[in-house]
Amino acid sequence: MESFIAITVVAALISYGMSIFFAKYFRKAGIVGEDVHKKRAVLPTSAGIPVFLGFFMATMLYSFYISYVLQTSVYLFEISVGVLSIAVITLVGFLDDVNVKGSIRRGLKQWEKPLLTLPAAIPLMAMKLGTPTVILPFLGEVNLGLLYPLLLVPLGVMVAANMVNLLAGLNGLESGLAIIYLSSLSLFAYLHVSSIAAKVIAFAALGAVIGFFPLNRYPAKFLPGDSLTYFLGSVLAIIAIVGNMEKAVVITSIPFVIEFLLKARGKFQVPTVGFQRNGRIYRKTKGIYSIPHLWMNGKYTEPQVVHKVWMVGALFALLAWIL
């Protein structure tokens, strides 16, 4: 356990330092976004880049430990392929973030995002990572054969990379929620999964997000951007595939499924964000088209709404241990 704690700490420290640097750099470069719940608040965005760098350095340092201290290469293959896929998906998110004009982010088209994330699954498919026998909620153990690497893996990567991006838009929402579900999944991997690669990736990702969180919590100084949400989604996909822990990841991800269904009600045209008045936050529509909308009724502040969504995430992170 000590080595995985070390991974988390290293990733957090590097991510924190990189976040401070890139917050300044992105602001100067004009890679910014509007914090819509604050008046005239324009902040640097695309935190997935410093978070990925913290994650990357932690996983590579552990790879050095495996090679030079343990003197084995048995785990390096899975770690390297997993990191490569995560890097590709994070890059797609970054491409979406950098298409800005002033403080208005144009981004990629909705149909372009899932298609561009598909190539990230190619290394996993080519190397046939993962186990075709999976345990799914309500279905139990299922052997999918070649359908697993050729269909389920690319589909899982594409869906996971894009689903985290749906539940976003409030200070600390994405990063705080990620700390909750990655803490649960990291511990689950440590106790129940034999794959060292899944454990390394999960703990490194957890540490990297922890390092970014101080700059993203309310009032935010650095916005996540799609590069971070895509990074987080890809991490979920990779640890599910490499660690054969699809069931735990699917249960933990149920809030994103709920968010997808709510967004679908509004034909994906209704934003999660609302507006602020007298310190309280309101949604822009009468209906509920996002989980945060449940509390965006003028009774709560932005941090209070975020905390309630965190509680929803914590509930399903706990259920992953029970079901």
Side-chain angles (χ1 to χ4, degrees):
M1 185 63 174
E2 291 81 3
S3 60
F4 296 115
I5 293 176
I7 292 173
T8 306
V9 172
V10 169
L13 292 174
I14 296 175
S15 175
Y16 179 70
M18 290 291 98
S19 294
I20 293 175
F21 171 80
F22 275 99
K24 297 177 182 178
Y25 179 81
F26 285 156
R27 183 180 289 278
K28 292 179 181 178
I31 303 175
V32 295
E34 184 181 1
D35 189 345
V36 297
H37 297 134
K38 318 289 189 306
K39 289 185 178 180
R40 296 181 295 277
V42 177
L43 301 174
T45 188
S46 202
I49 300 304
V51 170
F52 174 78
L53 289 174
F55 164 80
F56 175 77
M57 289 302 298
T59 54
M60 291 303 103
L61 286 172
Y62 192 83
S63 297
F64 269 88
Y65 170 74
I66 291 173
S67 296
Y68 291 95
V69 178
L70 300 183
Q71 295 187 350
T72 180
S73 60
V74 66
Y75 310 118
L76 296 179
F77 178 74
E78 290 185 345
I79 294 173
S80 300
V81 173
V83 170
L84 176 59
S85 292
I86 292 170
V88 172
I89 292 178
T90 304
L91 176 61
V92 173
F94 181 67
L95 292 176
D96 193 41
D97 290 335
V98 297
N99 188 8
V100 296
K101 183 177 182 180
S103 62
I104 306 300
R105 185 169 65 86
R106 296 176 176 179
L108 297 170
K109 296 178 181 178
Q110 289 297 326
W111 62 268
E112 292 176 329
K113 296 179 183 181
L115 288 181
L116 288 173
T117 55
L118 274 177
I122 293 176
L124 302 170
M125 297 166 64
M127 307 306 173
K128 296 180 69 175
L129 291 190
T131 304
T133 301
V134 300
I135 301 175
L136 298 174
F138 312 113
L139 296 178
E141 192 173 281
V142 180
N143 191 326
L144 299 173
L146 285 177
L147 287 177
Y148 183 83
L150 299 181
L151 178 62
L152 190 61
V153 166
L155 183 63
V157 168
M158 181 181 68
V159 170
N162 287 273
M163 71 178 182
V164 176
N165 190 46
L166 293 173
L167 188 51
L170 287 80
N171 288 181
L173 176 60
E174 302 95 308
S175 55
L177 198 59
I179 290 172
I180 292 169
Y181 60 71
L182 286 176
S183 295
S184 176
L185 291 173
S186 296
L187 186 58
F188 186 92
Y190 176 75
L191 294 175
H192 299 293
V193 173
S194 60
S195 171
I196 296 295
K199 298 174 186 178
V200 170
I201 290 171
F203 278 98
L206 171 61
V209 179
I210 290 173
F212 165 66
F213 181 74
L215 280 77
N216 184 231
R217 66 184 179 183
Y218 185 93
K221 301 177 181 65
F222 197 174
L223 300 178
D226 281 1
S227 63
L228 182 63
T229 55
Y230 276 42
F231 167 83
L232 294 171
S234 64
V235 167
L236 289 176
I238 298 305
I239 61 177
I241 294 168
V242 175
N244 193 30
M245 46 190 290
E246 290 87 356
K247 179 181 178 181
V249 171
V250 168
I251 294 172
T252 302
S253 301
I254 288 177
F256 301 114
V257 177
I258 296 173
E259 185 71 9
F260 174 82
L261 296 175
L262 290 174
K263 285 287 200 309
R265 288 185 63 231
K267 299 179 181 179
F268 300 97
Q269 299 300 312
V270 181
T272 297
V273 296
F275 62 93
Q276 187 170 250
R277 182 188 298 156
N278 299 324
R280 298 293 187 266
I281 191 166
Y282 297 79
R283 59 180 179 268
K284 295 180 178 179
T285 60
K286 292 183 179 180
I288 305 297
Y289 298 98
S290 177
I291 293 175
H293 286 177
L294 291 168
W295 301 283
M296 293 170 65
N297 51 19
K299 296 181 180 180
Y300 303 98
T301 63
E302 183 175 357
Q304 288 173 331
V305 173
V306 169
H307 294 162
K308 291 182 181 300
V309 180
W310 287 353
M311 291 175 64
V312 173
L315 171 63
F316 287 98
L318 178 62
L319 286 177
W321 291 77
I322 300 173
L323 298 179

